[in-house]
Amino acid sequence: MNYLWAGMLLVGIVYGCLTGKTAEITQAALDSAGEAISLCITMTGIMCFWVGMMRIAEKAGMIRKMAAKMEPVLRFLFPDLRHETRAKEYIATNMIANIFGLGWAATPAGLKAMEELDRVAPQTGENRTATKDMCTFLVINISSLQLIPVNMRAYRSQYGSADPTAIVGPAIIATCGSTLVAVAFCKIMQRGEGKGRAT
């Protein structure tokens, strides 16, 4: 990605210089820098609010209760983790944060979940590979079911949208679809792996 963005910037600067638009390039750079700062300030406020809410919910025991309510879902997705409550707690926290559109709060829980899944993996040594549960968690995490797309609402508000919340309905439909496809894919792959071992 670094090379891609650097290449795009370089091509734009070279083209601007060749076409005699260096003044426009300078002005665009200044405008973009100011816009980036403004966006960062807006997103920081929203991030602090929602991450703080997640921390309060965690300290109050709400996350643990919600994770307990999610036990049937987690058992369906991760049948091999029935006794690994710590990994399930991190997975549930990650999924809950993603549902509320809090990617910032979901990332630390996702990393902790992967660490726990790696810790309980039966493989040892340098030639370890990702386990079935790791792959399932990664696919589900990428599909990211969202009921409240906080990021997109913030971006739309920042850029002057007349109705920032109009994205909510399409986001729910799109992420529900992607999550259903992800779950179906994971279960098909798990079933195929089970048949391979049986033969």
Side-chain angles (χ1 to χ4, degrees), residues 127-149:
N127 296 324
R128 291 187 298 176
T129 58
T131 64
K132 175 177 60 179
D133 290 326
M134 286 181 181
C135 294
T136 299
F137 173 65
L138 184 60
V139 171
I140 298 298
N141 185 58
I142 291 171
S143 69
S144 188
L145 171 64
Q146 290 189 17
L147 299 181
I148 307 175

Side-chain angles (χ1 to χ4, degrees), residues 36-179:
I37 295 297
S38 178
L39 180 61
C40 285
I41 293 172
T42 300
M43 296 303 294
T44 298
I46 295 171
M47 178 184 70
C48 290
F49 174 76
W50 284 105
V51 172
M53 292 294 288
M54 283 292 293
R55 291 294 295 171
I56 292 171
E58 184 179 351
K59 294 291 185 181
M62 293 175 63
I63 297 296
R64 184 165 295 177
K65 290 180 181 178
M66 294 176 74
K69 296 288 186 182
M70 292 177 63
E71 179 62 25
V73 175
L74 296 177
R75 192 182 305 124
F76 172 73
L77 293 173
F78 307 96
D80 297 335
L81 288 178
R82 291 179 182 174
H83 303 294
E84 300 298 337
T85 55
R86 194 62 176 167
K88 281 188 176 182
E89 186 175 328
Y90 286 130
I91 292 171
T93 303
N94 175 268
M95 293 176 72
I96 291 168
N98 274 327
I99 287 171
F100 289 112
L102 305 175
W104 316 284
T107 299
L111 294 174
K112 286 290 186 181
M114 276 296 187
E115 288 179 2
E116 284 295 311
L117 292 173
D118 182 61
R119 185 181 64 82
V120 300
Q123 304 175 25
T124 57
E126 296 181 358
N127 296 324
R128 291 187 298 176
T129 58
T131 64
K132 175 177 60 179
D133 290 326
M134 286 181 181
C135 294
T136 299
F137 173 65
L138 184 60
V139 171
I140 298 298
N141 185 58
I142 291 171
S143 69
S144 188
L145 171 64
Q146 290 189 17
L147 299 181
I148 307 175
V150 175
N151 285 358
M152 290 307 299
R153 288 178 62 183
Y155 291 141
R156 287 168 61 85
S157 177
Q158 174 67 22
Y159 290 107
S161 172
D163 186 8
T165 59
I167 194 68
V168 173
I172 292 174
I173 294 172
T175 57
C176 280
S178 65
T179 301

